[in-house]
Amino acid sequence: MGSFVDTAAAAAEVGKICNAHNSIDIDFTVLLTHIGFEEDRHLARQLDPAWGVDLIIGGHSHTLPEHAVEENGVVIAQAGTGTDQIGRFDIIVDTDNNCIDSYTWHTVSITAETCPRNPAMEQVLHRFTSQVDEKYSHIVARFRRELTHPERTRETELGNLFADIFTRSLGIDIMLIGSGSIRAEKLGPIVTYGDLIEGFPYDDGVFMFKVTGQQLRQMLHYMLREEAYTGHTEFYQLPSTLRLRYDRAKGDFDYFTYCGKEVGKEISDDALFTVGLQNYHFKNIESFFNISYDTICKLQKPRSVATSCQDILMEYFREHEMLDAAVDGRMTILPSTAQTG
């Protein structure tokens, strides 16, 4: 299974930063990451102890371990999902050797008992709530009905809507939307600005590049490998221009067609397509799609075609009312033999 990120490159970058400050007497070094618990462990194993990294506090995989773990002398912890609980470290630092002498870690549930109300803090916050509410409560879109995104590893209504919006707005053949970018399980029929940024919070840009039909097939075949169905890989929502059916038992496509120009025609190996990816996914294209940056540059140098995904959605919403989307069969995944048995 491929890594979500290039942890070797990340470790090297950590080394550069730590070495750049080696003239300063630093007692304690913490890495804040968002790459997932297993990737944190992989990263820790690649850190040189001489760099002095003591602690990794991570996110992304929403892991809630029973206790903090240690890898290569680095302590690692996450604290689950949202604000149900927070992780608490009590650490004694050995300042002579610039390392952790001892520590305890546990989670604290966020309840009225553990986190009593603070009237003074509430007064401070109240000064800002009206301004915040005004900004985030205004309506930016109206759908015909509530649209859903219940699972990351299958075609969804919201995924279809967003993939189609980006494909049309950017004038490209295929926009592949990261399923994990859509954080809401449902949205609409009334959508406020707050709903939008909570449901689609990653406001990065979009890169466009060209691939052949053969490369596109290989990219999506890699996306649909078995690791995808246990949540260990990235997954993507497709625009209506694509139609595919993947048989997990065979490990191959039954059909793979492009409907933008010639409806129902199987994609030929030498066909050319412009593809859009959010910046984060483009930067990790080799890990996520098993295709190298150098390979895609052979057809055309990739270029940035948008700086804000949220701006694209907002502009489209302003120009289109009563939007709707359905799961229409653009991505059919047949179960494996084990599931059917």
mmCIF file of all heavy atoms in Angstrom, residues 122-139:
data_model
loop_
_atom_site.group_PDB
_atom_site.id
_atom_site.type_symbol
_atom_site.label_atom_id
_atom_site.label_comp_id
_atom_site.label_asym_id
_atom_site.label_seq_id
_atom_site.Cartn_x
_atom_site.Cartn_y
_atom_site.Cartn_z
ATOM 1 N N GLU A 122 -17.090 34.142 28.109
ATOM 2 C CA GLU A 122 -18.315 34.245 27.305
ATOM 3 C C GLU A 122 -18.613 35.685 26.930
ATOM 4 O O GLU A 122 -19.090 35.966 25.830
ATOM 5 C CB GLU A 122 -19.478 33.625 28.069
ATOM 6 C CG GLU A 122 -19.408 32.102 28.144
ATOM 7 C CD GLU A 122 -20.603 31.518 28.874
ATOM 8 O OE1 GLU A 122 -21.365 32.302 29.490
ATOM 9 O OE2 GLU A 122 -20.775 30.287 28.830
ATOM 10 N N GLN A 123 -18.313 36.628 27.837
ATOM 11 C CA GLN A 123 -18.532 38.037 27.528
ATOM 12 C C GLN A 123 -17.608 38.504 26.401
ATOM 13 O O GLN A 123 -18.015 39.266 25.521
ATOM 14 C CB GLN A 123 -18.313 38.887 28.782
ATOM 15 C CG GLN A 123 -19.412 38.736 29.836
ATOM 16 C CD GLN A 123 -19.184 39.637 31.033
ATOM 17 O OE1 GLN A 123 -18.244 40.423 31.054
ATOM 18 N NE2 GLN A 123 -20.049 39.524 32.032
ATOM 19 N N VAL A 124 -16.366 38.050 26.452
ATOM 20 C CA VAL A 124 -15.416 38.410 25.395
ATOM 21 C C VAL A 124 -15.890 37.855 24.057
ATOM 22 O O VAL A 124 -15.900 38.553 23.034
ATOM 23 C CB VAL A 124 -14.013 37.879 25.738
ATOM 24 C CG1 VAL A 124 -13.063 38.094 24.557
ATOM 25 C CG2 VAL A 124 -13.474 38.575 26.983
ATOM 26 N N LEU A 125 -16.285 36.581 24.044
ATOM 27 C CA LEU A 125 -16.720 35.949 22.805
ATOM 28 C C LEU A 125 -18.000 36.568 22.261
ATOM 29 O O LEU A 125 -18.198 36.640 21.048
ATOM 30 C CB LEU A 125 -16.924 34.450 23.030
ATOM 31 C CG LEU A 125 -15.659 33.650 23.363
ATOM 32 C CD1 LEU A 125 -16.021 32.208 23.704
ATOM 33 C CD2 LEU A 125 -14.681 33.676 22.207
ATOM 34 N N HIS A 126 -18.877 37.014 23.145
ATOM 35 C CA HIS A 126 -20.157 37.570 22.713
ATOM 36 C C HIS A 126 -19.976 38.820 21.849
ATOM 37 O O HIS A 126 -20.810 39.114 20.987
ATOM 38 C CB HIS A 126 -21.016 37.888 23.933
ATOM 39 C CG HIS A 126 -22.377 38.412 23.573
ATOM 40 N ND1 HIS A 126 -23.344 37.617 22.993
ATOM 41 C CD2 HIS A 126 -22.926 39.656 23.685
ATOM 42 C CE1 HIS A 126 -24.440 38.336 22.780
ATOM 43 N NE2 HIS A 126 -24.204 39.568 23.187
ATOM 44 N N ARG A 127 -18.876 39.541 22.067
ATOM 45 C CA ARG A 127 -18.632 40.756 21.279
ATOM 46 C C ARG A 127 -18.446 40.437 19.793
ATOM 47 O O ARG A 127 -18.688 41.275 18.930
ATOM 48 C CB ARG A 127 -17.368 41.460 21.795
ATOM 49 C CG ARG A 127 -17.436 41.893 23.245
ATOM 50 C CD ARG A 127 -16.079 42.413 23.691
ATOM 51 N NE ARG A 127 -16.024 42.613 25.137
ATOM 52 C CZ ARG A 127 -14.915 42.897 25.807
ATOM 53 N NH1 ARG A 127 -13.760 43.026 25.129
ATOM 54 N NH2 ARG A 127 -14.935 43.057 27.106
ATOM 55 N N PHE A 128 -18.023 39.220 19.511
ATOM 56 C CA PHE A 128 -17.717 38.857 18.121
ATOM 57 C C PHE A 128 -18.804 38.018 17.458
ATOM 58 O O PHE A 128 -18.807 37.863 16.246
ATOM 59 C CB PHE A 128 -16.396 38.082 18.075
ATOM 60 C CG PHE A 128 -15.218 38.836 18.621
ATOM 61 C CD1 PHE A 128 -14.807 38.633 19.925
ATOM 62 C CD2 PHE A 128 -14.539 39.756 17.841
ATOM 63 C CE1 PHE A 128 -13.727 39.328 20.447
ATOM 64 C CE2 PHE A 128 -13.461 40.444 18.346
ATOM 65 C CZ PHE A 128 -13.049 40.242 19.658
ATOM 66 N N THR A 129 -19.721 37.473 18.249
ATOM 67 C CA THR A 129 -20.665 36.512 17.674
ATOM 68 C C THR A 129 -21.585 37.134 16.630
ATOM 69 O O THR A 129 -21.899 36.484 15.624
ATOM 70 C CB THR A 129 -21.517 35.857 18.772
ATOM 71 O OG1 THR A 129 -22.146 36.881 19.565
ATOM 72 C CG2 THR A 129 -20.672 34.977 19.674
ATOM 73 N N SER A 130 -22.016 38.370 16.842
ATOM 74 C CA SER A 130 -22.934 38.972 15.877
ATOM 75 C C SER A 130 -22.253 39.159 14.521
ATOM 76 O O SER A 130 -22.857 38.925 13.469
ATOM 77 C CB SER A 130 -23.463 40.313 16.398
ATOM 78 O OG SER A 130 -22.388 41.212 16.624
ATOM 79 N N GLN A 131 -20.977 39.579 14.538
ATOM 80 C CA GLN A 131 -20.249 39.742 13.287
ATOM 81 C C GLN A 131 -20.021 38.400 12.600
ATOM 82 O O GLN A 131 -20.169 38.276 11.381
ATOM 83 C CB GLN A 131 -18.906 40.414 13.558
ATOM 84 C CG GLN A 131 -19.010 41.806 14.164
ATOM 85 C CD GLN A 131 -17.637 42.379 14.481
ATOM 86 O OE1 GLN A 131 -16.693 42.215 13.722
ATOM 87 N NE2 GLN A 131 -17.523 43.054 15.614
ATOM 88 N N VAL A 132 -19.670 37.398 13.396
ATOM 89 C CA VAL A 132 -19.439 36.074 12.840
ATOM 90 C C VAL A 132 -20.733 35.494 12.274
ATOM 91 O O VAL A 132 -20.763 34.941 11.171
ATOM 92 C CB VAL A 132 -18.853 35.136 13.908
ATOM 93 C CG1 VAL A 132 -18.790 33.696 13.397
ATOM 94 C CG2 VAL A 132 -17.462 35.608 14.323
ATOM 95 N N ASP A 133 -21.824 35.642 13.035
ATOM 96 C CA ASP A 133 -23.102 35.111 12.578
ATOM 97 C C ASP A 133 -23.543 35.766 11.275
ATOM 98 O O ASP A 133 -24.067 35.099 10.378
ATOM 99 C CB ASP A 133 -24.176 35.326 13.650
ATOM 100 C CG ASP A 133 -23.987 34.424 14.861
ATOM 101 O OD1 ASP A 133 -23.217 33.447 14.741
ATOM 102 O OD2 ASP A 133 -24.595 34.696 15.912
ATOM 103 N N GLU A 134 -23.329 37.066 11.167
ATOM 104 C CA GLU A 134 -23.716 37.776 9.946
ATOM 105 C C GLU A 134 -22.957 37.255 8.742
ATOM 106 O O GLU A 134 -23.511 37.087 7.656
ATOM 107 C CB GLU A 134 -23.470 39.266 10.124
ATOM 108 C CG GLU A 134 -23.892 40.097 8.916
ATOM 109 C CD GLU A 134 -23.652 41.573 9.124
ATOM 110 O OE1 GLU A 134 -23.247 41.970 10.239
ATOM 111 O OE2 GLU A 134 -23.865 42.345 8.166
ATOM 112 N N LYS A 135 -21.656 36.963 8.936
ATOM 113 C CA LYS A 135 -20.831 36.486 7.837
ATOM 114 C C LYS A 135 -21.202 35.070 7.422
ATOM 115 O O LYS A 135 -21.317 34.771 6.223
ATOM 116 C CB LYS A 135 -19.365 36.528 8.243
ATOM 117 C CG LYS A 135 -18.426 35.963 7.169
ATOM 118 C CD LYS A 135 -16.975 36.049 7.597
ATOM 119 C CE LYS A 135 -16.051 35.472 6.517
ATOM 120 N NZ LYS A 135 -14.619 35.561 6.905
ATOM 121 N N TYR A 136 -21.427 34.195 8.390
ATOM 122 C CA TYR A 136 -21.566 32.778 8.081
ATOM 123 C C TYR A 136 -23.008 32.311 7.903
ATOM 124 O O TYR A 136 -23.227 31.204 7.423
ATOM 125 C CB TYR A 136 -20.887 31.943 9.164
ATOM 126 C CG TYR A 136 -19.384 32.052 9.126
ATOM 127 C CD1 TYR A 136 -18.709 32.938 9.955
ATOM 128 C CD2 TYR A 136 -18.640 31.286 8.243
ATOM 129 C CE1 TYR A 136 -17.331 33.055 9.914
ATOM 130 C CE2 TYR A 136 -17.263 31.387 8.186
ATOM 131 C CZ TYR A 136 -16.612 32.280 9.021
ATOM 132 O OH TYR A 136 -15.250 32.395 8.964
ATOM 133 N N SER A 137 -23.972 33.136 8.278
ATOM 134 C CA SER A 137 -25.360 32.683 8.189
ATOM 135 C C SER A 137 -26.064 33.113 6.910
ATOM 136 O O SER A 137 -27.190 32.686 6.652
ATOM 137 C CB SER A 137 -26.159 33.184 9.399
ATOM 138 O OG SER A 137 -26.217 34.604 9.411
ATOM 139 N N HIS A 138 -25.422 33.942 6.077
ATOM 140 C CA HIS A 138 -26.114 34.363 4.863
ATOM 141 C C HIS A 138 -26.172 33.203 3.864
ATOM 142 O O HIS A 138 -25.260 32.379 3.776
ATOM 143 C CB HIS A 138 -25.473 35.609 4.247
ATOM 144 C CG HIS A 138 -24.210 35.354 3.489
ATOM 145 N ND1 HIS A 138 -22.970 35.327 4.077
ATOM 146 C CD2 HIS A 138 -23.983 35.118 2.157
ATOM 147 C CE1 HIS A 138 -22.045 35.089 3.168
ATOM 148 N NE2 HIS A 138 -22.625 34.955 1.995
ATOM 149 N N ILE A 139 -27.255 33.143 3.117
ATOM 150 C CA ILE A 139 -27.525 32.026 2.208
ATOM 151 C C ILE A 139 -26.721 32.199 0.926
ATOM 152 O O ILE A 139 -26.734 33.267 0.301
ATOM 153 C CB ILE A 139 -29.028 31.936 1.900
ATOM 154 C CG1 ILE A 139 -29.807 31.621 3.180
ATOM 155 C CG2 ILE A 139 -29.306 30.856 0.848
ATOM 156 C CD1 ILE A 139 -31.316 31.710 3.016
#
